[in-house]
Structure formats: C-alpha cells, structure tokens
Amino acid sequence: MKPISRQTVDEVLQRLDIVDIGRTTIRQCVNVSHELEWISGEKFVHLEFGIPGMNACKVGLDAQKEALDNGAASVYPPSCGIHELKENGSRFIKAFVGVEISPEGIVPTVGSMQGCYNLLLECIQMNPEKDTVVYLNPGFPSHYVQAKVLGIKTRMFDLYDFRGDKFREKLEEVFRDGCVSAIVYSNPNNPSWVCLTEDELKSLGELCTKYDVIALEDMAYMCMDFRKDLSMPFLPPFQPTVARYTDNCVLMISASKIFSYAGERIAMVAISDKLYKREYLALRERYGIGRFGDNFSLTYLYVNSSSCSHSAQYAFAEMLGSAADGKYDFVGQMREYGRRAGKAKEIFLRHGFYIVYDKDLGEDVSDGFFFTIGYDGLTGSQLLLNLLRCGICAITLVATRSTREGIRVCVSLLNSEKDFSDLDERLGSFERLMMDENR
Amino acid sequence: MKPISRQTVDEVLQRLDIVDIGRTTIRQCVNVSHELEWISGEKFVHLEFGIPGMNACKVGLDAQKEALDNGAASVYPPSCGIHELKENGSRFIKAFVGVEISPEGIVPTVGSMQGCYNLLLECIQMNPEKDTVVYLNPGFPSHYVQAKVLGIKTRMFDLYDFRGDKFREKLEEVFRDGCVSAIVYSNPNNPSWVCLTEDELKSLGELCTKYDVIALEDMAYMCMDFRKDLSMPFLPPFQPTVARYTDNCVLMISASKIFSYAGERIAMVAISDKLYKREYLALRERYGIGRFGDNFSLTYLYVNSSSCSHSAQYAFAEMLGSAADGKYDFVGQMREYGRRAGKAKEIFLRHGFYIVYDKDLGEDVSDGFFFTIGYDGLTGSQLLLNLLRCGICAITLVATRSTREGIRVCVSLLNSEKDFSDLDERLGSFERLMMDENR
C-alpha cells in the first residue's frame, strides 16, 4: 500500500483526542488503525493485540456445552471453584510445573486479570506496614493500571538491566526496607519474551522468604519457551517457577493463551499450601476470616463477582485434566506461535529493524507470542507513527514501562501466508519512507 | 424429624469456630446445616440461599452453545460488551422499565456483584470531596462487604422506618452535607420484599439531582412485585425506577434471577445517557479518560476482569431480546416464586410466626423471592438456632443490617410438595419445642 500522509494521521489523532501515540492504550491504538483503515481502504496488519490466533481447544468447548446441558447455568458456582477444576488444576501444575499445590489452593478467577487484581488488594490489606508492590519491567500494561485503580504504591525496574547476579542485588535493594508486600511479573515476559532462569527464580524465592514478600507469578505463556521441550507431563524439564524456592507465592494460570480460551474469561490462581493456611491478623479483624486462602475466595472474589462462569469452569477443568493425562498436547499447539515469531523476526530484520530485548542471558530470546522491535534513530512513538502510515498497528514499549525505544509485536494474528507477505510489503514501504525522509 | 439436641448444635458451632450464629455468612450457615444433616441423617429444608430454583432459560442456553460453536471462546469480548447485548439490553429496559437508555450505556458485568463493586469504586474516585455511600437497609449482605473491601465510608438507615414522606426527609438529612457520592438499594428489596413506590423514587431522584448523588439501583428482582402485571413489553405498568426522575443513575440488571442464569455470572449495568457522557476531572487526571461511562468499561472493568464470558453475553443478549419481543415471558416464569412464597407464609403463620416486614405502605408486602419471619420472644439468633435444631436452615436479619429480630426466608428451593410438607412438619416440631421449653 501507498503510505498514508503524515497530515492524515495527525488529523485522526487529533480527532480521537490523542496527544502522544506512544502513551495510548491498546484500545486507542486500535481505534486509530480502524480510522486509517477506513480512510485508506486497506486492511492493516495487526500486531497490537495479545489475543489467541487459534481456535479454542475443542476439549473445553465440548465440556462447556455438556455443562450447560447438565444445568450449570442456573446454579451459582462455589466461590472456591468446582471440585473438578480444583483437582485437575492441582494435577496440571504437578505435571507441567513440577510442584505440589493442593486442590484447596486452586481457585478459578475471571481471567488472571481478576486473579492478580484481587491478590494485589489482599496483599496490600493483610499487612498494614507493607503498602508497596514491585513490578519487573517491561510488563503487561494493565497490571500497572490495576495499581493505579487500587491506589497501591509501586516500585519497578527494567529486568533487562539486572539479569543473573545483578538481579539478586537489585531485588534486595528494593525489598530491604520491608515495605514491599508483593512482586508481580510474567514468565515468559510479556512483551520481551525474556525468561527468568531457575537460578534467578531461586534468588527471588529466597528473598521473598527473607523479606516476607509474596511472589505473584503470571504464567499466561507457560511452557512457551520453545528452546526446551516442556510438553511432557510429569517429566522434566518443567516450566521454571519461583514456587520451587519459596512458600510465599501464588501462580496465575490462564486458559486464554494455553488453550486459546480468552473469550470465556477463565483462569486459576494456585496458592501455595503454606500461604493458603497462613493467618493474617489484619484480615481477621477486618473480615472475621484470618486465613489468606479463605479470604481470597470468600471475601475478595466473592464480593467482586461471586466466582466466574460455571460452565467455563467445567471447560477449564477438562482441558487441564486432558493436558495432564497427555491426551491434549497444548505445548505442541502453541509451537505455532514460535514458528510465526521466527518468520516475522526474519522479515523485520531484513528491512533494517533490530530486536530490542534480544538476549536472554547468553542466548537469543526464544521465539514465542511476543517480541520487541526497534529502528535506528526513531523513538517508539516515531516508529509507531510511521508504521501506522504504512498499514501496521502495534503498541510502543512505553506502555509496557520499558525504558527502551521500540514497539511490541504480537504474532498471534499473523494467521496466513498473506499476512506475512503483507507485512513484508509494508515494511518495504516503511524502509523506502525512511530513506525518502532522510534524503 | 426429632429435634437435634442443643448440645449437638453447640458442638458443631464450636468446631466451625462460630461464636454467634446470627452474625455468620450464608456460607457458614450452610456449613453448619451440612454438619447437622450428616449427624441427624436428615436432609434440611434450605431457606438460606438466594439462588434460582428453576431451570436456566432455554433461549439463553441455545444461544450460548451456538456462540461457542461460532468461535466466541477464543476471542476476547470487547470491554464495553458485544453489540447485540448493548442493543437488546437497551430495548429490554425500554420494554419493561419504560425508560430510554442508549445501547452505549449498556455494559455487561460478571453478575451485578461486579457491576456494583466497580460502580462504587468509580463513584468514590470521581469526586474527591464525596467519600461516602448510603445504603437503604435491610439489604444484600455482600453489598456491605464490598464497602469494607474497598474501604468506603458508609451511612445507612432502615427503609421500613422511613416510608412515604418520611423517606424524603430522611434522605435529605443524610445527603445534606455533600459527602455522599452514591446510594445503593435493591427494588424489590432483598430481603424484606418491600417495594419503593414511584412517589418515593421521585423523591429519591430529585434529591440525587439536588445533591449530586448517583443512585445505584439493583433490579435483581425486577418485575417480581406480582401485585401488578408487569409482564407486557412496552405497555404500562412498568417496573418502578429512579431513572424516571434523575439522570444521576445506573440500573443493575442481572440474568441470575429473571432468567435463572446465575451460574454463568452475567448481568448488565445501564448508565443513563447523561451520566455516561459526564466528564470528571479527577478521573481524567488519574486515568487519562474523563467520561464516566468510558472509565467504567475501559478502566475499571477492563483491569478487573477484561469483561465477562463471551458466550454468556450472547446468551443474555438473546434472552433480553426474546423477552422484549414478547416471545419469552420471564415474568410469568417468576410468578412461581410468588406462589411458593404465599404457600410458605401460610405455613409459617399457622405455626405461630409473624411476618417481620409485613406492610408496604398501606398494603401487605407482595409474595416474591424473599420474605422475613419472626417469632415472639426470640432474637434472630435464638430463632435460627432452634430452627436448625428442627432441620431448617436460613440466615438472620442481622446479616442484612436490619434492626429487627428475625430471619430471611428464600423460597426458591421449595421445589416440590414434599419440601412444603417437610417445612410444615418441622415447623410443627419447632412449635412443640417452644412449648416444651416454656413449660
């Protein structure tokens, strides 16, 4: 396609009340691209959404429809989750993460979004002197907004600047004053796809124990570090986790990506056995219930939404069970994202781009759901503006609290060969545009 | 059944760490009854749960299964809700409430629980000087816990003491200092089944406008005041609402009771057109978005759960549309609860009980989902303890913030003739027990 004029883009931004494209939400970016699609008459290449690009897992669909036929729709689900989900969730974690978490600690949530939201709130309320949450950047944009909505103090640093031994030192620095209640991160990391190693997680776990910090580990993309084969249930290697090194942890596992089940808003938190039973005086005084795990489901989740879709709980239970039984190979399905990432990276690099977060300690970062792209001499905002002119939509790294300049690329919607050839052709336009402007 | 001994009940309470049965949650009451069922070998009559006692609406089930077949499960729903739900929600409200709310203002939530939770939070954050919420008592126990979780200041009074003209005076008294941001109530009232009249709602609406208070009107039991026929779409009489008298209002309409769809956790808020578009400086500063309605879905709901079950949105849309088209008579279905209430009340009265909240201004309260029962000389806790001994479970009015002594009775699980004859027989035991103890 022919590049859209700078003026047209500026007019659209003005009309949509956007001052800096680099600081918009994903939703606003999408609105800009929709306007430009309409004006140019060309469909954009969409790299902004972190949404599944595959069909929902059929095992889940069948179970959900059966649950609807069996009367699940008229009955409130228990706020701690249905029995089957608790059992299979525990078994799935044993199979793919290699740690033991009792069924009691498995509680379904309306996506990990709701899990994280309520865990943050509980962590902040259970210990009056611990009023701060730490984020490992870059990260999932909405996690930062959660802290803003809940009025929680935050600390953060860019993980990329503190890998290996430096990670432990930096963590100790931010934990030392005793104000930190919890730390939030996703592994693999959204958007950089950097993966914390078992060594780094060991440091984190030990320091969480030492400073009484709860690790909230978002496993949205679990087992998608395709450099290792994490697909065999109950066999190593397992998905790395902090849960091997501390009891102060909660895992968040969503069906959205691993089972392409984002629409039904179903996930689970897995609270370590020891944390589940831990008694907090401040919670007992406030709610008449003292234990961490009981409060999570009976207080926080209950008044937030009275649990989540009953039929989707049956779907999730069945998918987790089927994966643990080795009948449904979710890792094999997800490898498709790795293939798409490899192909997309090759195209970007060929057109003069570079990978922003390129290394994972010594190795190249793995090919997965996301990667990060920069272009010499352009800020993230400038890069995004020019990509929009060429029919490509994405979000900048600013929204992910990165200190680096560039954009986040999600490969999930690169479904067909045509998507890749469109990407190639448009990055060609971009390259010519850059040459013209620098002439 | 033979009454269970006082000592056995006391032992169970002690084992479950319950000091005062009158101050327990529904969940804890259920646990007590389960223990006693096990000990006595007799199934209890369950009057505690406010859950549907009918099958889920088939129109919804069919639409939900179709949505799953059509790929809804893999795609994130838009955070403002799917188009069909917004359109049909608006039409349904026009049909049964008789007011105009644009589709833009219809936003699905994970039950009205999530709607109310996030509306409370938004109301408290949008106006720094308004930090207080008013509740009309008695009420839904979880609404009070929401304020506790969110750290919101509350004011409340017992509606029954301030009906008619006194209602306006009392409201003016609690609104006058300008600290009140919102008022929460359900109409018909849970648990008293008292219904605010159009006159009272007019007073409320005028004062909400005068003092800039947002009315959060929970319509969980809409059209269930069976003294009038509210079943004809687009024809009066309509469900009474404050929306006729102020723009400062949000309706909360859940599929849980009206379509017996509680399991799927689907409801909608309906924000008045004027409030939707209203700009709040404090919100713009905090989130970069100023309008009330945009913040509700793009900020609050989005980071809380990224919307709600995609397939359930299709189910709800279809049920709302079908009701508005006059094809599905949800009011007719719900009349069954009125029949059960009439029958249950007769049994209670015959055994010497009285209705606690008995009058609705001049009239008797309507027969519906809930009613309230007392027994001369017994506090709510004493009454509940003795009913438990006779195989009947309920909750006391203390949990509903009532100042009166008694219990809440939900008729939804009185499904069969046997349930009624069991109730009759056990209230007979109760009566004999009371006579023995007073001898």
Side-chain angles (χ1 to χ4, degrees):
Chain A
M1 68 182 273
K2 222 174 127 255
I4 299 165
S5 78
R6 174 119 220 164
Q7 196 192 338
T8 304
V9 175
D10 285 345
E11 280 165 12
V12 167
L13 293 180
Q14 201 162 24
R15 193 159 64 241
L16 294 176
D17 193 19
I18 294 171
V19 180
D20 178 359
I21 188 75
R23 297 187 171 276
T24 53
T25 62
I26 295 180
R27 179 65 43 192
Q28 286 175 300
C29 267
V30 173
N31 290 344
V32 173
S33 69
H34 283 340
E35 290 279 319
L36 293 174
E37 281 179 339
W38 190 81
I39 291 169
S40 66
E42 298 262 9
K43 236 190 107 34
F44 271 43
V45 175
H46 288 280
L47 306 174
E48 72 280 23
F49 279 125
I51 64 179
M54 302 184 197
N55 291 333
C57 168
K58 191 172 175 306
V59 173
L61 292 174
D62 290 343
Q64 187 164 358
K65 287 189 281 182
E66 194 184 320
L68 290 170
D69 286 334
N70 290 341
S74 70
V75 183
Y76 283 96
S79 56
C80 60
I82 61 168
H83 177 77
E84 293 85 339
L85 176 53
K86 297 172 85 70
E87 290 289 334
N88 287 354
S90 172
R91 207 153 52 85
F92 176 87
I93 287 170
K94 176 77 183 160
F96 293 101
V97 188
V99 295
E100 303 264 1
I101 295 184
S102 300
E104 187 183 41
I106 307 295
V107 181
T109 57
V110 185
S112 285
M113 192 77 107
Q114 190 194 31
C116 191
Y117 183 103
N118 284 285
L119 287 166
L120 282 176
L121 194 53
E122 179 163 11
C123 286
I124 280 302
Q125 294 186 345
M126 70 196 186
N127 226 328
E129 67 272 26
K130 288 177 170 289
D131 62 357
T132 302
V133 169
V134 171
Y135 289 89
L136 297 184
N137 293 348
F140 175 40
S142 301
H143 278 165
Y144 306 104
V145 185
Q146 289 184 333
K148 211 186 266 185
V149 165
L150 294 171
I152 296 174
K153 289 189 206 159
T154 58
R155 291 176 190 172
M156 45 188 74
F157 61 91
D158 198 312
L159 179 58
Y160 210 61
D161 298 330
F162 301 94
R163 296 299 304 272
D165 292 342
K166 282 202 252 169
F167 183 57
R168 190 186 183 97
E169 285 164 36
K170 183 65 184 175
L171 278 176
E172 190 128 27
E173 182 194 319
V174 296
F175 285 177
R176 191 170 290 130
D177 68 2
C179 296
V180 175
S181 160
I183 179 168
V184 182
Y185 58 95
S186 61
N187 199 33
N189 177 277
N190 164 7
S192 74
W193 216 250
V194 157
C195 298
L196 288 168
T197 63
E198 288 284 352
D199 273 352
E200 289 167 322
L201 290 164
K202 183 162 183 280
S203 295
L204 174 59
E206 288 169 1
L207 293 174
C208 281
T209 303
K210 180 173 174 188
Y211 292 102
D212 198 12
V213 171
I214 311 297
L216 305 178
E217 189 169 79
D218 186 350
M219 291 194 167
Y221 311 98
M222 66 180 283
C223 302
M224 293 191 212
D225 177 356
F226 301 116
R227 294 169 302 190
K228 290 168 269 180
D229 181 8
L230 303 173
S231 71
M232 301 299 289
F234 301 102
L235 289 178
F238 294 108
Q239 164 67 35
T241 180
V242 77
R244 258 184 277 288
Y245 310 105
T246 184
D247 290 313
N248 279 350
C249 74
V250 186
L251 315 182
M252 297 178 276
I253 296 178
S254 170
S256 295
K257 306 304 186 315
I258 61 175
F259 298 126
S260 299
Y261 228 76
E264 295 303 288
R265 315 302 310 119
I266 183 79
M268 61 180 173
V269 304
I271 305 170
S272 87
D273 290 7
K274 208 159 161 189
L275 180 60
Y276 192 97
K277 293 189 174 64
R278 188 162 157 193
E279 174 85 17
Y280 286 91
L281 185 63
L283 296 180
R284 182 164 291 276
E285 281 172 356
R286 189 162 179 161
Y287 303 118
I289 301 176
R291 299 203 306 173
F292 183 93
D294 294 338
N295 267 298
F296 182 72
S297 60
L298 298 176
T299 303
Y300 293 96
L301 281 191
Y302 183 65
V303 304
N304 187 205
S305 70
S306 305
S307 191
C308 47
S309 161
H310 204 174
S311 64
Q313 290 191 33
Y314 282 98
F316 196 22
E318 198 63 28
M319 295 187 287
L320 292 165
S322 188
D325 291 342
K327 288 184 201 153
Y328 178 74
D329 176 15
F330 76 98
V331 181
Q333 295 286 325
M334 293 304 109
R335 280 209 184 88
E336 167 64 12
Y337 291 130
R339 191 191 68 81
R340 293 182 192 178
K343 218 163 149 177
K345 279 182 189 174
E346 183 277 319
I347 297 172
F348 271 103
L349 295 176
R350 182 151 44 75
H351 289 288
F353 292 79
Y354 60 87
I355 310 286
V356 177
Y357 291 94
D358 56 344
K359 291 287 176 192
D360 207 357
L361 290 170
E363 294 175 273
D364 285 348
V365 292
S366 158
D367 287 340
F369 205 69
F370 295 111
F371 60 92
T372 54
I373 278 290
Y375 195 85
D376 262 345
L378 294 188
T379 65
S381 295
Q382 291 167 335
L383 175 54
L384 177 53
L385 271 181
N386 285 302
L387 286 173
L388 283 167
R389 289 180 61 190
C390 299
I392 295 171
C393 187
I395 64 167
T396 69
L397 293 180
V398 172
T400 70
R401 302 293 171 108
S402 167
T403 50
R404 286 162 172 75
E405 297 294 347
I407 58 161
R408 179 184 89 167
V409 171
C410 177
V411 300
S412 63
L413 292 186
L414 296 171
N415 278 308
S416 65
E417 284 313 307
K418 178 160 187 325
D419 292 329
F420 286 102
S421 62
D422 283 353
L423 179 66
D424 199 352
E425 179 256 316
R426 285 163 196 206
L427 290 180
S429 304
F430 173 89
E431 219 178 349
R432 282 189 298 279
L433 189 69
M434 289 300 102
M435 284 192 293
D436 289 350
E437 303 219 330
N438 288 328
R439 200 169 289 158
Chain B
M1 69 182 271
K2 224 175 126 252
I4 298 164
S5 78
R6 174 118 219 164
Q7 196 192 337
T8 304
V9 175
D10 285 346
E11 280 165 11
V12 167
L13 293 180
Q14 201 161 24
R15 193 158 64 241
L16 294 177
D17 192 20
I18 294 171
V19 180
D20 178 359
I21 188 76
R23 298 187 171 275
T24 53
T25 62
I26 295 180
R27 180 66 42 191
Q28 286 175 301
C29 267
V30 173
N31 290 344
V32 173
S33 69
H34 283 340
E35 290 278 319
L36 293 173
E37 280 179 339
W38 190 82
I39 291 168
S40 66
E42 298 261 10
K43 235 190 108 34
F44 270 43
V45 175
H46 288 280
L47 306 174
E48 72 280 23
F49 279 124
I51 64 179
M54 302 184 196
N55 292 333
C57 168
K58 191 173 174 306
V59 173
L61 292 174
D62 290 343
Q64 187 164 358
K65 287 188 282 182
E66 195 184 320
L68 290 170
D69 286 334
N70 291 341
S74 70
V75 183
Y76 283 96
S79 57
C80 60
I82 61 168
H83 177 77
E84 294 85 339
L85 176 53
K86 297 172 85 70
E87 290 289 335
N88 287 354
S90 172
R91 207 153 53 85
F92 176 87
I93 287 170
K94 176 77 183 160
F96 293 101
V97 188
V99 295
E100 303 264 1
I101 295 184
S102 301
E104 187 183 41
I106 308 295
V107 182
T109 57
V110 185
S112 285
M113 192 78 107
Q114 191 195 30
C116 191
Y117 183 103
N118 284 285
L119 288 166
L120 282 176
L121 194 54
E122 179 163 11
C123 286
I124 280 302
Q125 293 186 346
M126 70 196 185
N127 226 328
E129 67 273 26
K130 288 177 169 289
D131 61 358
T132 302
V133 169
V134 171
Y135 289 89
L136 297 184
N137 293 348
F140 175 40
S142 302
H143 278 165
Y144 306 104
V145 185
Q146 289 184 333
K148 211 186 265 185
V149 166
L150 295 171
I152 296 174
K153 289 189 206 159
T154 58
R155 291 175 190 173
M156 45 188 74
F157 61 90
D158 198 313
L159 179 58
Y160 209 62
D161 298 330
F162 301 94
R163 295 300 305 272
D165 292 341
K166 281 202 251 169
F167 183 56
R168 190 185 183 98
E169 285 164 36
K170 183 65 184 176
L171 278 177
E172 190 128 27
E173 181 193 319
V174 296
F175 285 177
R176 191 169 291 130
D177 67 3
C179 296
V180 175
S181 160
I183 179 167
V184 181
Y185 59 94
S186 62
N187 198 33
N189 176 277
N190 164 7
S192 73
W193 215 251
V194 157
C195 298
L196 288 169
T197 63
E198 288 284 352
D199 273 351
E200 289 167 322
L201 290 164
K202 183 162 183 281
S203 295
L204 174 59
E206 288 169 1
L207 294 174
C208 281
T209 303
K210 179 173 174 187
Y211 292 101
D212 198 12
V213 171
I214 310 297
L216 306 178
E217 189 169 78
D218 187 351
M219 291 194 167
Y221 311 98
M222 66 180 284
C223 302
M224 293 191 211
D225 177 356
F226 301 116
R227 293 170 302 189
K228 290 168 270 179
D229 181 7
L230 303 172
S231 71
M232 301 299 289
F234 301 102
L235 288 178
F238 294 109
Q239 164 68 35
T241 179
V242 77
R244 257 184 278 289
Y245 310 105
T246 184
D247 291 313
N248 278 349
C249 74
V250 186
L251 315 182
M252 297 178 276
I253 296 178
S254 170
S256 295
K257 306 305 185 316
I258 61 175
F259 298 126
S260 299
Y261 227 75
E264 296 303 288
R265 314 302 311 117
I266 183 79
M268 61 180 173
V269 304
I271 305 170
S272 87
D273 290 7
K274 207 159 161 189
L275 180 60
Y276 192 97
K277 292 189 175 63
R278 188 163 157 193
E279 174 85 17
Y280 286 91
L281 185 64
L283 296 180
R284 182 164 290 277
E285 282 172 357
R286 189 162 179 160
Y287 303 118
I289 301 176
R291 299 204 306 173
F292 183 93
D294 295 337
N295 267 298
F296 182 72
S297 59
L298 297 176
T299 303
Y300 293 96
L301 281 191
Y302 183 65
V303 304
N304 187 206
S305 69
S306 306
S307 191
C308 47
S309 161
H310 203 174
S311 64
Q313 290 191 34
Y314 282 98
F316 196 22
E318 198 63 29
M319 295 187 287
L320 292 165
S322 188
D325 291 342
K327 289 185 201 152
Y328 179 75
D329 176 15
F330 76 98
V331 181
Q333 295 286 324
M334 293 303 108
R335 279 209 184 88
E336 167 64 12
Y337 292 130
R339 192 191 67 82
R340 293 181 192 178
K343 219 164 150 177
K345 279 182 189 174
E346 184 277 319
I347 297 172
F348 271 103
L349 295 176
R350 182 152 43 75
H351 289 288
F353 291 79
Y354 60 87
I355 311 286
V356 177
Y357 291 95
D358 56 344
K359 291 287 176 193
D360 206 356
L361 290 170
E363 295 175 90
D364 285 348
V365 292
S366 159
D367 288 340
F369 205 70
F370 295 111
F371 60 91
T372 54
I373 278 290
Y375 196 86
D376 262 345
L378 294 188
T379 66
S381 295
Q382 290 166 336
L383 175 53
L384 177 53
L385 271 181
N386 285 302
L387 286 173
L388 283 167
R389 290 179 61 190
C390 299
I392 295 171
C393 186
I395 64 166
T396 69
L397 292 180
V398 173
T400 71
R401 301 293 171 108
S402 167
T403 50
R404 286 163 171 75
E405 297 294 347
I407 58 161
R408 178 184 89 168
V409 171
C410 177
V411 300
S412 63
L413 292 186
L414 295 171
N415 279 309
S416 65
E417 284 313 308
K418 179 161 186 323
D419 291 329
F420 286 102
S421 62
D422 282 353
L423 179 66
D424 199 352
E425 178 256 316
R426 285 163 196 205
L427 291 180
S429 304
F430 173 89
E431 220 178 349
R432 282 189 299 279
L433 189 69
M434 289 300 102
M435 284 192 292
D436 289 351
E437 302 219 330
N438 288 328
R439 199 169 288 157

